[in-house]
Amino acid sequence: MKGVTILGATGSIGINTLDVMSRYPDRYRVVALTANSEVERLYRQCQTFRPRYAVMGNELAAEQLAARLRKELPGTEVLSGVSGLERVAALEEVDIVMAAIVGAAGLLPALAAARGGKRILLANKEALVVAGAIFMDEVRRNGAQLLPIDSEHNAIFQCMPDGFERGLAQSGVRRIMLTSSGGPFLHLPAAEFASITPDQACAHPNWTMGRKISVDSATMMNKGLEVIEACLLFNTTPGDVQVVIHPQSVIHSMVEYLDGSVLAQLGTPDMRIPIAHALAWPERIESGAGRLDLFEVARLDFEAPDLERFPCLAYAYEAASRNDTSAVIMNAANEEAVAAFLDNGILFPDIPRVIRGTLDELSPRRVTTIEEVLVEDRRARAAANGIIKEMKSDYCQ
Ligand code: NDP
């Protein structure tokens, strides 16, 4: 019986994880569930899964949850804030931590799981992008296991040979082909980007996801973050990671070997597949996902990404090639810009403008500690918000 903590249980990945786990009550036990502000949703999940701990983002939300659980589930201890998240990520009785908080907010709890030597199922790509080599060092030093949940990285992991950590060339691999659906605006002329609404940006053609990653998919920043993630997870450089637009999202990514063989992982676009894979690895369990019907799919298309209409991908390639805080700055600016767009404060094409402006305004630094990373993250958010404020005041005139 494996004890599991789900960080971000009320989100899209959290809900899918509970769905897979609920099929195997004899194999997995929910130890802790966490949310930020969705008290009602976490309360209902607690009723069903009866965790030992529940964590809310702040004290007020935690008090509200505790008041509802007190009589019904006196055995569930309610905690709050980052310290609560870090605690449930590192508990002795926990074997597996699903890191599914959105954004850099998930960094410290994911790091706590790494320091606790857990099996980390990493959905929260921003944590890895921001902490980079520092995160990977903590994983190695503490004997933690990092299994990717992003469908693309999970696919690459499945296609890689044993010992890939040594590097691609040493493992007989020539390059990684990272597929991308291209998002909802793949062929929309750039002139029409300014009229895109948040709801249109969140309506992904193939996947149902949280709102932040949906917007990232629409700007292709998601693919950019994934290029950086691939470099870190598979010990390679951005030149060896090719982005391939594949609108059907059936091939989740590919690995090309030195002899010319290309291995791919295919499946329906359902996050329960990578979640089940990483939960049970190296065994296989049923995920609940529908089976792939190639006759229904009928054809698979591929094209090159358009970096002019989707400059976020170019910014990420640039950040991936630098050994400094460019990725921290880019990620922070993106999170602030996406939040402003979802709030109807700025336009869709303003998102890359905010990121470019922030990258141009700040000089990236070399950092070696998480504390320095967090300082840089805050500095970038302040700069990005300055740019957003100016944009908003221009729109008001
Ligand atoms: P959602 O927005 O659906 O869920 C986010 C979760 O994180 C919620 O439980 C939310 O709580 C919690 N949360 C948000 N902010 C904070 C915070 N400041 N502190 C603590 N908890 C917080 O996101 P997704 O599930 O879509 O994505 C989660 C991560 O997985 C992202 O990094 C994303 O890029 C990645 N991912 C997602 C995929 C998908 O299919 N959805 C695919 C591949 C990767 P509350 O509900 O209370 O707000």
Side-chain angles (χ1 to χ4, degrees), residues 250-262:
V250 167
I251 298 181
H252 296 305
S253 277
M254 294 168 266
V255 170
E256 182 188 329
Y257 283 77
L258 290 177
D259 60 10
S261 300
V262 176

Side-chain angles (χ1 to χ4, degrees), residues 159-221:
C159 296
M160 279 286 188
D162 287 344
F164 67 79
E165 297 84 358
R166 289 170 295 159
L168 295 198
Q170 291 82 346
S171 319
V173 172
R174 189 178 282 146
R175 66 176 168 158
I176 288 168
M177 289 182 243
L178 187 67
T179 56
S180 162
S181 69
F185 310 123
L186 177 58
H187 295 122
L188 190 75
E192 292 176 38
F193 278 15
S195 60
I196 291 170
T197 66
D199 283 347
Q200 286 170 332
C202 289
H204 195 279
N206 306 337
W207 300 93
T208 310
M209 308 181 286
R211 283 171 80 77
K212 191 264 178 181
I213 184 179
S214 297
V215 176
D216 284 350
S217 297
T219 60
M220 289 203 68
M221 177 49 88

Side-chain angles (χ1 to χ4, degrees), residues 319-342:
S321 66
R322 298 175 60 132
N323 190 14
D324 58 23
T325 53
S326 297
V328 182
I329 297 170
M330 181 195 77
N331 178 70
N334 180 57
E335 286 189 23
E336 297 302 320
V338 170
F341 167 68
L342 285 172

